[in-house]
Amino acid sequence: MSWYRNTVWFVKGLREYTRSGYESASKHFNPADVEVNVAGRSFLVTGANSGIGKATATEIARRGGTVHLVCRNKERAEVAKGEIVTETGNQNIFLHIVDISNPREIWKFAEKFKNEHKLNVLINNAGCMVNNRELTGDGLEKNFATNTLGTYILTTALLPLLEKEADARVITVSSGGMLVQKLNVSDLQSGNGTFDGTMVYAQNKRQQVVLTEQWAKAHRNIHFSVMHPGWADTPAVRSAMPDFYQKMKNSLRTEAQGADTVVWLAISSEATKLPSGLFFQDRQPVPTHLPLASTHSPPEDEEKLMEVLEEFSQKFKSTSPG
């Protein structure tokens, strides 16, 4: 069945996830959806120094939003901030240096941020695909620490801030790769069997879909969404998937095309007319499971994921300095 899932996903990807898929879908977009002024609204974008994160931050800045860039590398982040300010003329761009794979650092940042800023929209874009099993300084598998636990802690830590605002939103950048994975709560840190970075990443992205669905049920006055940007030409794809990049580079989407649905979900009034908790591709909600793929998980597994992540979260909160 995994062979079936992978094959169907790849064929679907060739048709829908490439640049031509975007060009086809975009014929049906309403340009007015994103021709909005968001001055006075505050946006936080993780992984914002390059790729889809930077493209998203730039488009929001262009429309007058206050943008908080959360990045790991100070030098690259400062260059990105300068480029965004220069390109958009928007001075309300703020930089925060945080490693999303470090749960204590996230808690420390979130507590400080809550005291100093307001927040209307959180965009969870930071992610990684590490192809060998690496542990962080906290003994966490690095993909899980960044993609799943980091996303969980940052979001839950900032929920009280979002709850205070009208039209609050949380958007998480996932991947269509999650379609080949069924939620596996028995091995969240990929310690069993052969380690396959691509499949671990896909599992993390499935976890992000489940998180979004669970948050949407629990927090009714915040609009949650998760999305697939398509296959885009980003630094992350070039470094983490060099073989895939070489085969597909002439068909990949631009960073701006990959970011389009993130921006639409973050600023358009049309996005929040749709139910909270959905998975989007090219401005449309799409199924989270392939036909006949057997990737549905029982409710108790989804509840277990939330329980385990909350346990991790509280453990690192209690040991967080400050």
Side-chain angles (χ1 to χ4, degrees):
M1 188 57 79
S2 61
W3 173 87
Y4 167 82
R5 291 199 296 260
N6 290 351
T7 303
V8 172
W9 171 74
F10 191 73
V11 171
K12 179 182 173 70
L14 288 174
R15 188 175 66 247
E16 297 177 19
Y17 299 164
T18 54
R19 190 186 312 137
S20 61
Y22 174 83
E23 289 166 353
S24 175
S26 66
K27 291 173 185 172
H28 306 286
F29 293 172
N30 181 357
D33 286 359
V34 292
E35 289 171 1
V36 295
N37 186 322
V38 291
R41 284 177 66 78
S42 175
F43 300 77
L44 189 156
V45 185
T46 66
N49 67 286
S50 68
I52 288 166
K54 185 184 175 193
T56 298
T58 302
E59 291 306 314
I60 292 169
R62 209 188 297 284
R63 291 159 176 79
T66 296
V67 186
H68 295 274
L69 313 175
V70 173
C71 307
R72 185 167 51 93
N73 183 290
K74 190 170 188 288
E75 291 72 26
R76 289 203 294 265
E78 285 175 344
V79 170
K81 177 188 171 181
E83 289 171 349
I84 293 169
V85 170
T86 300
E87 188 174 335
T88 66
N90 186 338
Q91 299 293 323
N92 293 319
I93 312 298
F94 300 93
L95 190 55
H96 310 273
I97 305 304
V98 186
D99 183 349
I100 298 295
S101 74
N102 185 324
R104 292 183 184 86
E105 221 174 280
I106 300 170
W107 271 120
K108 189 176 179 182
F109 159 72
E111 295 303 319
K112 186 171 187 287
F113 189 89
K114 281 191 286 190
N115 291 328
E116 297 176 357
H117 304 282
K118 74 167 197 169
L119 184 63
N120 298 95
V121 181
L122 168 63
I123 298 169
N124 291 309
N125 166 73
C128 68
M129 184 192 294
V130 179
N131 287 310
N132 297 301
R133 193 171 189 274
E134 287 181 26
L135 300 184
T136 68
D138 295 303
L140 300 168
E141 191 277 315
K142 196 162 188 178
N143 294 290
F144 167 78
T146 306
N147 302 327
T148 302
L149 184 60
T151 297
Y152 178 87
I153 293 177
L154 183 63
T155 304
T156 52
L158 293 177
L159 283 175
L161 202 55
L162 289 158
E163 297 270 9
K164 295 177 183 177
E165 302 297 332
D167 190 18
R169 310 182 189 191
V170 176
I171 299 112
T172 300
V173 178
S174 181
S175 167
M178 67 90 195
L179 291 167
V180 305
Q181 285 286 312
K182 178 180 179 178
L183 179 66
N184 178 9
V185 290
S186 67
D187 188 25
L188 288 176
Q189 300 202 59
S190 310
N192 301 331
T194 304
F195 187 91
D196 181 333
T198 306
M199 288 300 107
V200 171
Y201 177 82
Q203 174 65 210
N204 295 162
K205 295 298 169 176
R206 168 63 71 187
Q207 291 159 6
Q208 290 178 342
V209 170
V210 173
L211 287 178
T212 299
E213 292 168 346
Q214 295 296 312
W215 283 328
K217 291 177 193 172
H219 304 277
R220 300 286 183 172
N221 57 337
I222 299 173
H223 191 271
F224 292 87
S225 53
V226 61
M227 59 78 66
H228 175 41
W231 294 342
D233 187 350
T234 65
V237 167
R238 292 195 289 272
S239 63
M241 304 175 71
D243 293 344
F244 173 81
Y245 174 74
Q246 285 302 320
K247 286 176 190 166
M248 300 296 299
K249 62 184 177 183
N250 295 325
S251 304
L252 297 176
R253 298 178 177 203
T254 66
E255 292 169 347
Q257 290 170 342
D260 176 81
T261 296
V262 188
V263 175
W264 183 82
L265 288 165
I267 69 174
S268 79
S269 58
E270 293 303 306
T272 52
K273 291 177 183 175
L274 293 159
S276 182
L278 298 181
F279 180 65
F280 287 82
Q281 176 189 315
D282 292 332
R283 303 192 190 182
Q284 291 289 325
V286 292
T288 55
H289 300 276
L290 292 167
L292 310 176
S294 306
T295 50
H296 292 268
S297 51
E300 53 266 31
D301 282 6
E302 298 179 356
E303 290 162 14
K304 178 71 172 173
L305 174 68
M306 303 305 282
E307 288 168 12
V308 171
L309 293 178
E310 183 60 19
E311 286 170 14
F312 271 121
S313 174
Q314 291 303 318
K315 171 188 167 188
F316 289 111
K317 183 182 183 183
S318 64
T319 59
S320 179

